[in-house]
Amino acid sequence: NYDLSQYDQFIQTFEKVIKTPKQTNTTTYYTGVDLGTACVVLAVLDDSGEPVAGAYEYADVVRDGMVVDYIGAIEIVTRLKKSIEANLGCELLYAASAIPPGTDLLDSGAIKNVIEASGFELVSLLDEPTAANQLLSIQNGAVVDIGGGTTGISVVVEGEVVKVADEATGGTHFSLVVSGSYGMTFDEAELYKRSEKNHKELLTVLKPVIEKIASIIDRQIMGHQVEEVYLVGGTACLTGMETIIEKSLGIPTFKPINPMFVTPLGIAKNC
Ligand code: ATP
């Protein structure tokens, strides 16, 4: 089986430097900017590719990969950039970003403008599943990115992404189900869902939506020899969902220690 431990270490280092940035002698930093439906994440690497700082903020500036609040997006990226710069005592110049598969023609201009208006030079833009695989380096399998608004599926054969697809089911739908089942507002449900202590109980409530995601994966990988599935994206943080997906698909399913940071770190690695 594929060994996720080295990536888990990398992600754990990133989690640490979000809390306490690492001072280095590097003068050039590389920033991955992930503009998501639910969350904007900045991941900063030094010139040896090690995580040195990071920041994230829940936001409502992007929907299904499209920037819907352009000014709000610039404000958040600028705010996160400035706070990291203050901690590192150095300006962040270069950034990479990513877009959900299939949205490039429509939205890559808007993403580029947000990054540049926030004071970065955009040096690369790639699709999210390819970005995730920059970190995971999977040779054969499917990378499934379960985000806020959508689930992105990419099939990797001999290290190359041969198929990408994006479908409109993600963490927002999970929160809507929690809201309906518990009589909570959407915002309350969102917070309740993110708390790990509620995950065991929520797994029963959310099983039908998780199975729907499994059926989306099943349909998208049809015709490909997929022997392993890797879950990334914030929604994959839900403890135990990998077991339901593995059972539904009949394919071994893995997830890294914090699936939410795989794509931002993969983007940063591509900078
Ligand atoms: P998209 O990829 O659809 O544009 P995004 O990049 O914002 O969205 P992510 O940051 O990967 O998506 O994931 C956001 C989703 O993950 C949200 O729905 C959020 O509620 C969910 N999420 C984050 N942390 C947790 C957690 N600990 N447990 C369960 N769900 C979580």
Side-chain angles (χ1 to χ4, degrees):
N1 277 347
Y2 185 73
D3 179 13
L4 282 172
S5 58
Q6 57 179 310
Y7 304 102
D8 284 347
Q9 273 173 25
F10 195 77
I11 295 166
Q12 277 172 323
T13 305
F14 180 58
E15 287 178 319
K16 276 189 203 140
V17 299
I18 289 177
K19 292 191 186 109
T20 315
K22 193 171 138 204
Q23 299 297 333
T24 63
N25 295 326
T26 310
T27 48
T28 311
Y29 294 100
Y30 300 94
T31 308
V33 180
D34 189 5
L35 283 172
T37 307
C39 203
V40 174
V41 187
L42 264 62
V44 183
L45 308 184
D46 65 12
D47 55 8
S48 65
E50 280 300 303
V52 289
Y56 65 96
E57 196 173 306
Y58 281 91
D60 192 15
V61 292
V62 173
R63 296 233 177 99
D64 299 339
M66 307 288 289
V67 178
V68 291
D69 177 358
Y70 182 70
I71 302 296
I74 294 169
E75 279 172 4
I76 291 173
V77 176
T78 305
R79 186 161 57 239
L80 296 176
K81 178 178 185 281
K82 284 198 169 139
S83 99
I84 295 173
E85 286 172 339
N87 285 326
L88 288 176
C90 191
E91 196 183 353
L92 302 176
L93 297 174
Y94 306 110
S97 194
I99 44 178
T103 55
D104 46 340
L105 285 175
L106 286 168
D107 211 38
S108 62
I111 301 258
K112 183 173 187 282
N113 291 344
V114 168
I115 307 285
E116 291 182 345
S118 307
F120 283 113
E121 183 183 325
L122 183 72
V123 295
S124 105
L125 191 66
L126 70 171
D127 68 82
E128 284 174 352
T130 304
N133 207 32
Q134 298 284 317
L135 181 70
L136 299 175
S137 305
I138 286 156
Q139 289 304 302
N140 292 293
V143 181
V144 178
D145 181 357
I146 316 171
T150 60
T151 293
I153 298 116
S154 56
V155 179
V156 183
V157 177
E158 291 176 9
E160 293 295 319
V161 177
V162 298
K163 172 180 176 160
V164 287
D166 209 41
E167 291 210 22
T169 301
T172 304
H173 304 80
F174 285 44
S175 299
L176 287 170
V177 170
V178 174
S179 163
S181 308
Y182 289 81
M184 293 175 179
T185 64
F186 179 85
D187 290 348
E188 285 166 351
E190 178 66 28
L191 290 178
Y192 192 80
K193 179 195 75 174
R194 278 192 236 141
S195 174
E196 208 178 312
K197 68 178 183 337
N198 300 323
H199 283 180
K200 197 166 177 226
E201 151 203 334
L202 282 176
L203 214 55
T204 321
V205 177
L206 293 171
K207 195 165 178 245
V209 208
I210 299 170
E211 285 172 343
K212 182 177 178 213
I213 288 185
S215 73
I216 289 172
I217 302 169
D218 197 32
R219 183 156 37 77
Q220 291 295 350
I221 64 175
M222 209 173 276
H224 296 274
Q225 188 78 24
V226 170
E227 285 165 10
E228 289 173 344
V229 169
Y230 299 88
L231 303 183
V232 303
T235 296
C237 291
L238 189 76
T239 319
M241 78 178 288
E242 64 279 14
T243 313
I244 297 178
I245 291 187
E246 180 171 85
K247 209 168 164 200
S248 299
L249 293 175
I251 301 173
T253 300
F254 308 97
K255 70 177 188 190
I257 198 157
N258 189 339
M260 185 159 148
F261 292 138
V262 172
T263 304
L265 285 167
I267 295 172
K269 276 186 119 166
N270 199 57
C271 185

